[in-house]
Amino acid sequence: MKIKNRTATALASSALATVLVVGLGGFGLTSASASGTLKKGQTFYLIPKDTLNPYETLEDSGITAALKSLGDTAIVSSGTADTAAAQIPSIQAAIQHHAAGIVIAGNDPSALCNSLAQARAHGLVVVSADSDVTCPNHLFINQAVTSTIGTSEVDLLASEIGKSGQIAILSAAATATNQNSWIVYMKKELKKYPNMKLVSTVYGNDDPATSLTVLQGLLSRFPHLRGIISPTTVGISTAAQYLDTHKSLLKHLTLTGLGLPSQMKKYVLDGTVKSFELWNPINLGRLAGFAVANLASGTIKIKAGQTFNAPGLGKYTILKAAAGTGPSIVLGPPFVFTKANVAKFNF
Ligand code: RAM
């Protein structure tokens, strides 16, 4: 288990370039003056999928900045591999340290439920962000509408490969709730494209070395692959780096998915990748930070229709539980990055 205390200073540099971009929300580093009733001095545990993934680090920097602006403390704690087992010691640590709440990105939908139930029994509030858990009594901070993330990635690839050919998915951990729920909608969307055939889904565990190995296996098993969707920033950046050094593959193969513009810029500008999607992970974190602070202060309950202010982002309302999910909040629509805009972002 790795534990890090973080400060908001790291956020400032990554914040500046994006304030101008419509659709990704503001980054104002204002203090939460609107929330006079929020308690101060609370401690929260942030439990990302792992402590090595740059996307998770950005998200945690957003949560930390939000909590610091409220006078709270954030402790980042998780394992280095994307498994539920690696996250359980961090939940136990949060309980032992009498934290007010937990923000977790689930590596598994159900394997964390017993530990999270223990945390709730000790009075901690539970928020999931980025990747949900199916346990009761928590609030999920969703980056965008789940179905839209899945369908839009398929539509993006379809438009680039003329709606035809063998395609594959290079995912994260096989148990990751977020990737699996997006893949459900990718498969539904593929029904609109009868000439596109999903031949394989492989799992790189959000580990660059594993992602490369499974990618190479995919390419040798399916030499005529036309497209790869990688709905993970680790997978897509690994695949882009590989294609960049094996350019002959680009004659028939197109890569898209979800990526960090800072990691993907090089590959978009040199033509290896035409387009990919994401949201702002720092803002996702900020939203989760303000949500968990409000819940732990008792200013909102985990109930549809409850609203709170996320300074710099706006007013958010808790949405009704839908099939397979509990109450949630959605940050906003995903954003498409291309040669025309990728250099404007620095997250
Ligand atoms: C990876 C992680 C994360 C996901 C992004 C798109 O960094 O799997 O959970 O939201 O990709």
Short mmCIF file of all heavy atoms in Angstrom, two decimals, residues 67-135:
data_model
loop_
_atom_site.label_atom_id
_atom_site.label_comp_id
_atom_site.label_asym_id
_atom_site.label_seq_id
_atom_site.Cartn_x
_atom_site.Cartn_y
_atom_site.Cartn_z
N LEU A 67 -10.79 19.59 -1.59
CA LEU A 67 -10.84 19.39 -0.13
C LEU A 67 -9.97 20.40 0.60
O LEU A 67 -10.36 20.94 1.63
CB LEU A 67 -10.41 17.95 0.21
CG LEU A 67 -11.42 16.88 -0.23
CD1 LEU A 67 -10.85 15.48 -0.03
CD2 LEU A 67 -12.74 17.03 0.54
N LYS A 68 -8.80 20.70 0.04
CA LYS A 68 -7.93 21.71 0.67
C LYS A 68 -8.61 23.07 0.71
O LYS A 68 -8.49 23.82 1.66
CB LYS A 68 -6.61 21.82 -0.10
CG LYS A 68 -5.60 20.78 0.34
CD LYS A 68 -4.22 21.13 -0.12
CE LYS A 68 -3.67 22.28 0.70
NZ LYS A 68 -2.25 22.22 0.97
N SER A 69 -9.34 23.38 -0.37
CA SER A 69 -10.01 24.69 -0.42
C SER A 69 -11.09 24.79 0.66
O SER A 69 -11.50 25.89 1.03
CB SER A 69 -10.61 24.94 -1.81
OG SER A 69 -11.81 24.19 -1.99
N LEU A 70 -11.52 23.65 1.17
CA LEU A 70 -12.53 23.64 2.23
C LEU A 70 -11.91 23.49 3.62
O LEU A 70 -12.62 23.37 4.61
CB LEU A 70 -13.51 22.46 1.99
CG LEU A 70 -14.27 22.48 0.67
CD1 LEU A 70 -15.06 21.20 0.49
CD2 LEU A 70 -15.20 23.68 0.60
N GLY A 71 -10.57 23.41 3.66
CA GLY A 71 -9.90 23.26 4.95
C GLY A 71 -9.82 21.82 5.40
O GLY A 71 -9.64 21.53 6.59
N ASP A 72 -9.99 20.88 4.46
CA ASP A 72 -9.92 19.45 4.79
C ASP A 72 -8.58 18.86 4.35
O ASP A 72 -7.81 19.50 3.64
CB ASP A 72 -11.07 18.70 4.08
CG ASP A 72 -12.42 19.10 4.62
OD1 ASP A 72 -12.53 19.37 5.84
OD2 ASP A 72 -13.39 19.17 3.82
N THR A 73 -8.37 17.61 4.72
CA THR A 73 -7.13 16.91 4.38
C THR A 73 -7.45 15.70 3.51
O THR A 73 -8.43 15.00 3.76
CB THR A 73 -6.44 16.42 5.68
OG1 THR A 73 -6.15 17.57 6.47
CG2 THR A 73 -5.15 15.67 5.39
N ALA A 74 -6.61 15.48 2.50
CA ALA A 74 -6.79 14.33 1.62
C ALA A 74 -5.59 13.41 1.72
O ALA A 74 -4.44 13.88 1.67
CB ALA A 74 -6.95 14.81 0.17
N ILE A 75 -5.84 12.13 1.85
CA ILE A 75 -4.76 11.14 1.88
C ILE A 75 -5.00 10.17 0.73
O ILE A 75 -6.06 9.54 0.66
CB ILE A 75 -4.73 10.38 3.23
CG1 ILE A 75 -4.37 11.37 4.35
CG2 ILE A 75 -3.73 9.22 3.18
CD1 ILE A 75 -4.46 10.79 5.74
N VAL A 76 -4.03 10.09 -0.18
CA VAL A 76 -4.16 9.16 -1.31
C VAL A 76 -3.53 7.84 -0.90
O VAL A 76 -2.39 7.79 -0.46
CB VAL A 76 -3.46 9.71 -2.57
CG1 VAL A 76 -3.57 8.71 -3.72
CG2 VAL A 76 -4.04 11.06 -2.97
N SER A 77 -4.28 6.76 -1.08
CA SER A 77 -3.79 5.45 -0.64
C SER A 77 -4.38 4.37 -1.53
O SER A 77 -5.59 4.29 -1.71
CB SER A 77 -4.23 5.24 0.82
OG SER A 77 -3.91 3.94 1.25
N SER A 78 -3.50 3.57 -2.12
CA SER A 78 -3.99 2.43 -2.92
C SER A 78 -2.82 1.51 -3.21
O SER A 78 -1.70 1.76 -2.73
CB SER A 78 -4.63 2.91 -4.23
OG SER A 78 -5.39 1.85 -4.82
N GLY A 79 -3.06 0.49 -3.98
CA GLY A 79 -1.98 -0.41 -4.37
C GLY A 79 -1.35 0.04 -5.68
O GLY A 79 -1.64 1.13 -6.19
N THR A 80 -0.50 -0.80 -6.23
CA THR A 80 0.12 -0.47 -7.51
C THR A 80 -0.46 -1.32 -8.64
O THR A 80 -0.12 -1.11 -9.80
CB THR A 80 1.64 -0.68 -7.45
OG1 THR A 80 1.90 -1.99 -6.96
CG2 THR A 80 2.30 0.33 -6.52
N ALA A 81 -1.33 -2.29 -8.32
CA ALA A 81 -1.99 -3.08 -9.35
C ALA A 81 -3.49 -2.87 -9.25
O ALA A 81 -4.01 -2.63 -8.15
CB ALA A 81 -1.66 -4.56 -9.16
N ASP A 82 -4.19 -2.93 -10.39
CA ASP A 82 -5.63 -2.64 -10.41
C ASP A 82 -6.45 -3.83 -9.94
O ASP A 82 -7.16 -4.47 -10.74
CB ASP A 82 -6.06 -2.24 -11.82
CG ASP A 82 -5.63 -0.82 -12.15
OD1 ASP A 82 -4.72 -0.31 -11.48
OD2 ASP A 82 -6.21 -0.24 -13.09
N THR A 83 -6.39 -4.12 -8.63
CA THR A 83 -7.22 -5.20 -8.08
C THR A 83 -7.96 -4.68 -6.86
O THR A 83 -7.48 -3.77 -6.18
CB THR A 83 -6.35 -6.40 -7.64
OG1 THR A 83 -5.51 -5.98 -6.56
CG2 THR A 83 -5.50 -6.95 -8.77
N ALA A 84 -9.09 -5.31 -6.58
CA ALA A 84 -9.84 -4.95 -5.37
C ALA A 84 -9.00 -5.28 -4.14
O ALA A 84 -8.98 -4.52 -3.17
CB ALA A 84 -11.17 -5.70 -5.34
N ALA A 85 -8.30 -6.42 -4.17
CA ALA A 85 -7.50 -6.84 -3.01
C ALA A 85 -6.49 -5.77 -2.62
O ALA A 85 -6.23 -5.56 -1.43
CB ALA A 85 -6.79 -8.16 -3.32
N ALA A 86 -5.94 -5.10 -3.61
CA ALA A 86 -4.93 -4.07 -3.32
C ALA A 86 -5.57 -2.81 -2.73
O ALA A 86 -4.87 -1.99 -2.13
CB ALA A 86 -4.17 -3.72 -4.59
N GLN A 87 -6.89 -2.65 -2.89
CA GLN A 87 -7.56 -1.45 -2.36
C GLN A 87 -8.10 -1.65 -0.94
O GLN A 87 -8.32 -0.68 -0.22
CB GLN A 87 -8.72 -1.05 -3.29
CG GLN A 87 -8.25 -0.56 -4.65
CD GLN A 87 -9.41 -0.13 -5.54
OE1 GLN A 87 -10.32 -0.92 -5.80
NE2 GLN A 87 -9.38 1.10 -6.00
N ILE A 88 -8.32 -2.92 -0.56
CA ILE A 88 -8.95 -3.18 0.75
C ILE A 88 -8.12 -2.66 1.93
O ILE A 88 -8.67 -2.02 2.84
CB ILE A 88 -9.31 -4.69 0.87
CG1 ILE A 88 -10.51 -4.95 -0.05
CG2 ILE A 88 -9.64 -5.08 2.32
CD1 ILE A 88 -10.91 -6.41 -0.20
N PRO A 89 -6.78 -2.83 1.93
CA PRO A 89 -6.00 -2.25 3.05
C PRO A 89 -6.19 -0.74 3.19
O PRO A 89 -6.13 -0.20 4.29
CB PRO A 89 -4.55 -2.60 2.69
CG PRO A 89 -4.65 -3.77 1.77
CD PRO A 89 -5.92 -3.59 1.01
N SER A 90 -6.42 -0.06 2.09
CA SER A 90 -6.62 1.40 2.15
C SER A 90 -7.97 1.73 2.79
O SER A 90 -8.09 2.74 3.50
CB SER A 90 -6.53 2.00 0.75
OG SER A 90 -5.26 1.73 0.20
N ILE A 91 -8.98 0.91 2.52
CA ILE A 91 -10.28 1.13 3.17
C ILE A 91 -10.12 0.91 4.68
O ILE A 91 -10.61 1.69 5.49
CB ILE A 91 -11.36 0.18 2.59
CG1 ILE A 91 -11.53 0.43 1.08
CG2 ILE A 91 -12.70 0.36 3.32
CD1 ILE A 91 -12.46 -0.56 0.37
N GLN A 92 -9.38 -0.15 5.03
CA GLN A 92 -9.15 -0.42 6.46
C GLN A 92 -8.38 0.74 7.10
O GLN A 92 -8.68 1.15 8.23
CB GLN A 92 -8.35 -1.73 6.63
CG GLN A 92 -9.04 -2.98 6.10
CD GLN A 92 -10.42 -3.21 6.74
OE1 GLN A 92 -10.71 -2.75 7.83
NE2 GLN A 92 -11.30 -3.93 6.04
N ALA A 93 -7.41 1.27 6.38
CA ALA A 93 -6.63 2.40 6.92
C ALA A 93 -7.54 3.61 7.15
O ALA A 93 -7.41 4.31 8.16
CB ALA A 93 -5.50 2.75 5.97
N ALA A 94 -8.46 3.85 6.24
CA ALA A 94 -9.39 4.98 6.39
C ALA A 94 -10.22 4.82 7.66
O ALA A 94 -10.46 5.78 8.40
CB ALA A 94 -10.30 5.08 5.16
N ILE A 95 -10.65 3.58 7.91
CA ILE A 95 -11.45 3.31 9.12
C ILE A 95 -10.59 3.57 10.36
O ILE A 95 -10.99 4.27 11.29
CB ILE A 95 -11.98 1.86 9.11
CG1 ILE A 95 -12.93 1.64 7.93
CG2 ILE A 95 -12.70 1.54 10.43
CD1 ILE A 95 -13.33 0.17 7.69
N GLN A 96 -9.36 2.99 10.33
CA GLN A 96 -8.48 3.13 11.51
C GLN A 96 -8.14 4.58 11.82
O GLN A 96 -7.96 4.96 12.96
CB GLN A 96 -7.18 2.35 11.28
CG GLN A 96 -7.31 0.88 11.66
CD GLN A 96 -6.31 0.03 10.93
OE1 GLN A 96 -5.25 0.52 10.51
NE2 GLN A 96 -6.63 -1.24 10.76
N HIS A 97 -8.03 5.38 10.75
CA HIS A 97 -7.66 6.79 10.96
C HIS A 97 -8.88 7.68 11.19
O HIS A 97 -8.78 8.90 11.15
CB HIS A 97 -6.83 7.29 9.78
CG HIS A 97 -5.43 6.76 9.81
ND1 HIS A 97 -5.07 5.60 9.18
CD2 HIS A 97 -4.33 7.20 10.46
CE1 HIS A 97 -3.78 5.36 9.41
NE2 HIS A 97 -3.32 6.31 10.20
N HIS A 98 -10.04 7.07 11.38
CA HIS A 98 -11.27 7.82 11.66
C HIS A 98 -11.54 8.88 10.59
O HIS A 98 -11.92 10.02 10.91
CB HIS A 98 -11.22 8.47 13.05
CG HIS A 98 -10.93 7.48 14.14
ND1 HIS A 98 -11.82 6.49 14.52
CD2 HIS A 98 -9.81 7.29 14.90
CE1 HIS A 98 -11.28 5.75 15.46
NE2 HIS A 98 -10.06 6.20 15.71
N ALA A 99 -11.30 8.52 9.35
CA ALA A 99 -11.58 9.45 8.26
C ALA A 99 -13.09 9.73 8.21
O ALA A 99 -13.90 8.94 8.70
CB ALA A 99 -11.12 8.85 6.94
N ALA A 100 -13.42 10.89 7.63
CA ALA A 100 -14.83 11.25 7.49
C ALA A 100 -15.45 10.58 6.27
O ALA A 100 -16.67 10.40 6.20
CB ALA A 100 -14.97 12.76 7.38
N GLY A 101 -14.60 10.23 5.29
CA GLY A 101 -15.15 9.62 4.08
C GLY A 101 -14.07 9.07 3.17
O GLY A 101 -12.87 9.28 3.39
N ILE A 102 -14.55 8.37 2.17
CA ILE A 102 -13.68 7.70 1.19
C ILE A 102 -14.16 8.10 -0.20
O ILE A 102 -15.36 8.15 -0.45
CB ILE A 102 -13.83 6.16 1.34
CG1 ILE A 102 -13.11 5.67 2.61
CG2 ILE A 102 -13.33 5.42 0.11
CD1 ILE A 102 -13.40 4.21 2.94
N VAL A 103 -13.21 8.36 -1.09
CA VAL A 103 -13.54 8.47 -2.53
C VAL A 103 -12.77 7.37 -3.23
O VAL A 103 -11.53 7.35 -3.21
CB VAL A 103 -13.16 9.84 -3.12
CG1 VAL A 103 -13.54 9.90 -4.60
CG2 VAL A 103 -13.81 10.98 -2.36
N ILE A 104 -13.48 6.44 -3.82
CA ILE A 104 -12.81 5.27 -4.40
C ILE A 104 -13.15 5.10 -5.88
O ILE A 104 -14.26 5.39 -6.31
CB ILE A 104 -13.21 3.99 -3.59
CG1 ILE A 104 -12.32 2.80 -3.98
CG2 ILE A 104 -14.69 3.65 -3.74
CD1 ILE A 104 -12.33 1.67 -2.94
N ALA A 105 -12.15 4.67 -6.66
CA ALA A 105 -12.39 4.25 -8.05
C ALA A 105 -12.35 2.72 -8.02
O ALA A 105 -11.28 2.13 -7.77
CB ALA A 105 -11.31 4.81 -8.96
N GLY A 106 -13.47 2.09 -8.21
CA GLY A 106 -13.58 0.64 -7.99
C GLY A 106 -12.83 -0.18 -9.04
O GLY A 106 -13.05 -0.04 -10.23
N ASN A 107 -11.98 -1.06 -8.54
CA ASN A 107 -11.33 -2.02 -9.44
C ASN A 107 -12.22 -3.24 -9.70
O ASN A 107 -11.85 -4.11 -10.50
CB ASN A 107 -10.01 -2.51 -8.84
CG ASN A 107 -8.87 -1.52 -9.11
OD1 ASN A 107 -8.82 -0.90 -10.17
ND2 ASN A 107 -7.97 -1.38 -8.16
N ASP A 108 -13.34 -3.28 -9.02
CA ASP A 108 -14.25 -4.42 -9.13
C ASP A 108 -15.61 -3.94 -8.65
O ASP A 108 -15.68 -3.16 -7.69
CB ASP A 108 -13.74 -5.54 -8.20
CG ASP A 108 -14.50 -6.85 -8.37
OD1 ASP A 108 -15.69 -6.90 -7.96
OD2 ASP A 108 -13.90 -7.80 -8.89
N PRO A 109 -16.69 -4.37 -9.28
CA PRO A 109 -18.00 -3.86 -8.86
C PRO A 109 -18.43 -4.30 -7.47
O PRO A 109 -19.05 -3.54 -6.73
CB PRO A 109 -18.97 -4.39 -9.92
CG PRO A 109 -18.24 -5.47 -10.63
CD PRO A 109 -16.77 -5.21 -10.48
N SER A 110 -18.12 -5.55 -7.08
CA SER A 110 -18.69 -6.06 -5.83
C SER A 110 -17.68 -6.48 -4.77
O SER A 110 -18.01 -6.57 -3.59
CB SER A 110 -19.61 -7.25 -6.13
OG SER A 110 -18.85 -8.24 -6.80
N ALA A 111 -16.43 -6.72 -5.17
CA ALA A 111 -15.46 -7.30 -4.22
C ALA A 111 -15.08 -6.34 -3.08
O ALA A 111 -14.48 -6.77 -2.10
CB ALA A 111 -14.21 -7.74 -4.97
N LEU A 112 -15.44 -5.07 -3.21
CA LEU A 112 -15.09 -4.10 -2.17
C LEU A 112 -16.25 -3.86 -1.21
O LEU A 112 -16.11 -3.11 -0.23
CB LEU A 112 -14.70 -2.77 -2.84
CG LEU A 112 -13.43 -2.85 -3.71
CD1 LEU A 112 -13.39 -1.72 -4.73
CD2 LEU A 112 -12.20 -2.83 -2.83
N CYS A 113 -17.39 -4.49 -1.48
CA CYS A 113 -18.61 -4.12 -0.73
C CYS A 113 -18.52 -4.43 0.75
O CYS A 113 -18.98 -3.63 1.57
CB CYS A 113 -19.84 -4.79 -1.35
SG CYS A 113 -20.26 -4.07 -2.96
N ASN A 114 -17.94 -5.56 1.14
CA ASN A 114 -17.84 -5.87 2.57
C ASN A 114 -17.02 -4.82 3.30
O ASN A 114 -17.40 -4.33 4.36
CB ASN A 114 -17.21 -7.26 2.80
CG ASN A 114 -18.21 -8.36 2.51
OD1 ASN A 114 -19.41 -8.10 2.42
ND2 ASN A 114 -17.72 -9.58 2.35
N SER A 115 -15.88 -4.47 2.72
CA SER A 115 -15.01 -3.48 3.36
C SER A 115 -15.69 -2.11 3.40
O SER A 115 -15.59 -1.38 4.39
CB SER A 115 -13.68 -3.36 2.61
OG SER A 115 -13.06 -4.60 2.58
N LEU A 116 -16.38 -1.75 2.32
CA LEU A 116 -17.05 -0.45 2.30
C LEU A 116 -18.21 -0.43 3.29
O LEU A 116 -18.50 0.62 3.90
CB LEU A 116 -17.52 -0.09 0.88
CG LEU A 116 -16.37 0.19 -0.11
CD1 LEU A 116 -16.90 0.41 -1.52
CD2 LEU A 116 -15.55 1.42 0.34
N ALA A 117 -18.86 -1.58 3.47
CA ALA A 117 -19.94 -1.66 4.48
C ALA A 117 -19.37 -1.43 5.88
O ALA A 117 -19.96 -0.73 6.70
CB ALA A 117 -20.65 -3.00 4.39
N GLN A 118 -18.19 -2.00 6.13
CA GLN A 118 -17.52 -1.77 7.43
C GLN A 118 -17.24 -0.28 7.60
O GLN A 118 -17.44 0.28 8.68
CB GLN A 118 -16.19 -2.51 7.47
CG GLN A 118 -16.28 -3.96 7.85
CD GLN A 118 -14.87 -4.59 7.80
OE1 GLN A 118 -13.87 -3.96 8.12
NE2 GLN A 118 -14.83 -5.83 7.37
N ALA A 119 -16.76 0.33 6.54
CA ALA A 119 -16.45 1.77 6.61
C ALA A 119 -17.71 2.56 6.94
O ALA A 119 -17.71 3.44 7.82
CB ALA A 119 -15.84 2.24 5.30
N ARG A 120 -18.80 2.23 6.27
CA ARG A 120 -20.06 2.96 6.52
C ARG A 120 -20.52 2.73 7.96
O ARG A 120 -21.02 3.63 8.62
CB ARG A 120 -21.12 2.54 5.51
CG ARG A 120 -20.92 3.17 4.14
CD ARG A 120 -22.20 3.09 3.32
NE ARG A 120 -22.77 1.76 3.38
CZ ARG A 120 -22.40 0.73 2.63
NH1 ARG A 120 -21.46 0.91 1.71
NH2 ARG A 120 -22.96 -0.45 2.77
N ALA A 121 -20.33 1.50 8.43
CA ALA A 121 -20.74 1.19 9.82
C ALA A 121 -19.94 2.02 10.82
O ALA A 121 -20.41 2.30 11.92
CB ALA A 121 -20.56 -0.30 10.08
N HIS A 122 -18.73 2.42 10.42
CA HIS A 122 -17.92 3.28 11.29
C HIS A 122 -18.20 4.77 11.03
O HIS A 122 -17.46 5.63 11.52
CB HIS A 122 -16.43 2.99 11.09
CG HIS A 122 -15.97 1.75 11.80
ND1 HIS A 122 -16.12 0.48 11.26
CD2 HIS A 122 -15.41 1.58 13.02
CE1 HIS A 122 -15.64 -0.40 12.12
NE2 HIS A 122 -15.21 0.23 13.19
N GLY A 123 -19.18 5.06 10.22
CA GLY A 123 -19.59 6.45 10.02
C GLY A 123 -18.95 7.16 8.85
O GLY A 123 -19.16 8.36 8.66
N LEU A 124 -18.16 6.45 8.05
CA LEU A 124 -17.53 7.10 6.89
C LEU A 124 -18.56 7.19 5.75
O LEU A 124 -19.33 6.24 5.54
CB LEU A 124 -16.32 6.29 6.40
CG LEU A 124 -15.02 6.42 7.21
CD1 LEU A 124 -15.11 5.59 8.48
CD2 LEU A 124 -13.84 5.95 6.36
N VAL A 125 -18.55 8.28 5.02
CA VAL A 125 -19.38 8.35 3.82
C VAL A 125 -18.57 7.78 2.65
O VAL A 125 -17.34 7.91 2.62
CB VAL A 125 -19.89 9.77 3.48
CG1 VAL A 125 -20.80 10.28 4.57
CG2 VAL A 125 -18.74 10.72 3.23
N VAL A 126 -19.26 7.16 1.71
CA VAL A 126 -18.57 6.51 0.60
C VAL A 126 -19.02 7.14 -0.72
O VAL A 126 -20.22 7.18 -1.03
CB VAL A 126 -18.83 4.99 0.59
CG1 VAL A 126 -18.19 4.34 -0.64
CG2 VAL A 126 -18.30 4.34 1.87
N VAL A 127 -18.04 7.61 -1.47
CA VAL A 127 -18.27 8.14 -2.81
C VAL A 127 -17.40 7.34 -3.76
O VAL A 127 -16.23 7.10 -3.48
CB VAL A 127 -17.90 9.65 -2.86
CG1 VAL A 127 -17.78 10.14 -4.29
CG2 VAL A 127 -18.94 10.47 -2.11
N SER A 128 -17.97 6.88 -4.86
CA SER A 128 -17.14 6.29 -5.91
C SER A 128 -17.02 7.33 -7.02
O SER A 128 -17.96 8.11 -7.25
CB SER A 128 -17.75 4.99 -6.44
OG SER A 128 -19.01 5.24 -7.00
N ALA A 129 -15.88 7.36 -7.67
CA ALA A 129 -15.69 8.30 -8.77
C ALA A 129 -14.90 7.59 -9.85
O ALA A 129 -14.01 6.78 -9.54
CB ALA A 129 -14.93 9.54 -8.30
N ASP A 130 -15.24 7.84 -11.09
CA ASP A 130 -14.55 7.25 -12.26
C ASP A 130 -15.01 5.82 -12.51
O ASP A 130 -15.42 5.49 -13.60
CB ASP A 130 -13.03 7.33 -12.09
CG ASP A 130 -12.27 6.69 -13.22
OD1 ASP A 130 -12.53 7.07 -14.38
OD2 ASP A 130 -11.46 5.78 -12.98
N SER A 131 -14.91 4.95 -11.52
CA SER A 131 -15.30 3.54 -11.70
C SER A 131 -16.14 3.13 -10.50
O SER A 131 -15.67 3.16 -9.36
CB SER A 131 -14.04 2.68 -11.82
OG SER A 131 -14.38 1.36 -12.15
N ASP A 132 -17.38 2.77 -10.77
CA ASP A 132 -18.37 2.58 -9.70
C ASP A 132 -18.21 1.24 -8.98
O ASP A 132 -17.48 0.35 -9.44
CB ASP A 132 -19.78 2.68 -10.31
CG ASP A 132 -20.86 3.01 -9.29
OD1 ASP A 132 -20.52 3.33 -8.14
OD2 ASP A 132 -22.05 2.95 -9.67
N VAL A 133 -18.89 1.13 -7.86
CA VAL A 133 -19.05 -0.16 -7.16
C VAL A 133 -20.57 -0.39 -7.07
O VAL A 133 -21.34 0.56 -7.15
CB VAL A 133 -18.42 -0.10 -5.75
CG1 VAL A 133 -16.90 -0.11 -5.83
CG2 VAL A 133 -18.90 1.11 -4.96
N THR A 134 -20.95 -1.62 -6.90
CA THR A 134 -22.40 -1.89 -6.87
C THR A 134 -22.92 -2.01 -5.42
O THR A 134 -23.99 -2.54 -5.20
CB THR A 134 -22.74 -3.19 -7.64
OG1 THR A 134 -21.94 -4.24 -7.08
CG2 THR A 134 -22.46 -3.06 -9.11
N CYS A 135 -22.14 -1.53 -4.48
CA CYS A 135 -22.51 -1.63 -3.06
C CYS A 135 -23.59 -0.58 -2.72
O CYS A 135 -23.65 0.47 -3.37
CB CYS A 135 -21.28 -1.36 -2.21
SG CYS A 135 -19.74 -1.96 -2.94
#
